[in-house]
Amino acid sequence: MAHGMYHYMKEAWKSPDRKVLRERMIQWRKDNAVKEIDKPLRIDRARNLGYKDKTGFVVVRVRLRRGGHKRSRPNKGRRGKRLHTRKNLKMNYRWIAEQRAAQKFMDFEVLNSYLIGKDGFHYFYEVILVNPNAPEIKNDSTISWISKPRNKGRVFRGLTSAGKKSRGLRSKSPNLKVRPSARANKNKGK
């Protein structure tokens, strides 16, 4: 059975060429932590998530430090003020990457994101941003919903795909205490 180009691109990304990816990540580590790029690296994934090659869409590569969210408590003597431990964040790395991209590009709204690589120290994500004020976006029936006022700052309210997953909203059960929010249930859900 014959498949289209995007099918074979998707299959190729299941086991990418390590040597090529390593050379790319060496260059990515030298770049800024949040950098606008011309074209998405994984065009099949970007198109699947709603990206279109038209005015109003921007793709940003974000570099994040890997490692635990919680700093261990020091076991030697300190004054009391220095004995704190960092808060254990209940956010996944993809959601953090989306928020950092949104903070850098304040006039844009986050549509979605995906992983493009990781090494020993970093995660690398590509985040798709949309300019809700662009006339090309407002006149496009498939993406004009993002121009409505209720979608302003959606990444900071956990309304993107990564945010909903991190909040535990992918599954429904009477036993889960995540709806309407974790805060409403005194953080019993997560």
Side-chain angles (χ1 to χ4, degrees):
M1 182 177 164
H3 292 287
M5 178 185 71
Y6 289 130
H7 169 79
Y8 293 108
M9 292 178 80
K10 181 180 176 182
E11 292 297 315
W13 266 100
K14 289 182 180 177
S15 58
D17 187 3
R18 288 174 177 257
K19 187 177 180 185
V20 173
L21 198 57
R22 182 178 294 148
E23 290 171 1
R24 282 178 176 160
M25 285 193 278
I26 290 170
Q27 182 60 42
W28 295 345
R29 284 196 292 268
K30 294 175 183 175
D31 290 337
N32 294 331
V34 179
K35 183 179 180 183
E36 182 180 349
I37 53 178
D38 297 331
K39 301 281 182 186
L41 184 65
R42 294 183 61 183
I43 186 68
D44 59 318
R45 189 79 182 110
R47 287 284 301 272
N48 197 15
L49 295 175
Y51 171 80
K52 294 181 180 179
D53 191 9
K54 63 192 290 188
T55 306
F57 282 87
V58 171
V59 180
V60 175
R61 185 174 57 241
V62 181
R63 185 183 72 233
L64 283 179
R65 278 299 292 267
R66 288 178 66 181
H69 290 302
K70 193 170 184 180
R71 182 168 55 194
S72 59
R73 191 173 188 274
N75 57 2
K76 297 280 185 170
R78 306 281 196 284
R79 55 183 289 210
K81 186 177 180 181
R82 305 287 175 238
L83 286 170
H84 66 277
T85 55
R86 188 178 294 156
K87 180 180 175 185
N88 190 8
L89 296 177
K90 296 182 178 180
M91 296 168 61
N92 60 33
Y93 285 102
R94 192 156 70 96
W95 191 9
I96 294 170
E98 289 177 353
Q99 288 190 356
R100 290 190 184 174
Q103 286 167 350
K104 184 95 176 201
F105 296 84
M106 297 177 72
D107 292 340
F108 289 75
E109 293 295 335
V110 174
L111 180 62
N112 221 317
S113 61
Y114 50 91
L115 182 72
I116 53 172
K118 65 177 181 177
D119 59 14
F121 280 97
H122 301 102
Y123 281 119
F124 297 97
Y125 291 96
E126 281 186 355
V127 181
I128 304 167
L129 300 169
V130 181
N131 184 359
N133 299 316
E136 292 86 356
I137 301 300
K138 288 183 175 179
N139 296 329
D140 188 343
S141 60
T142 59
I143 194 68
S144 60
W145 57 269
I146 208 161
S147 301
K148 294 179 180 174
R150 67 168 174 258
N151 293 310
K152 191 171 177 65
R154 61 195 296 265
V155 68
F156 301 109
R157 297 182 286 135
L159 300 181
T160 60
S161 176
K164 286 182 177 179
K165 182 177 183 180
S166 188
R167 289 164 59 203
L169 298 177
R170 288 276 173 93
S171 56
K172 290 187 176 181
S173 166
N175 302 323
L176 287 176
K177 303 292 189 285
V178 292
R179 282 185 172 80
S181 68
R183 190 190 302 175
N185 291 295
K186 299 181 180 173
N187 289 324
K188 290 176 185 171
K190 281 203 77 174

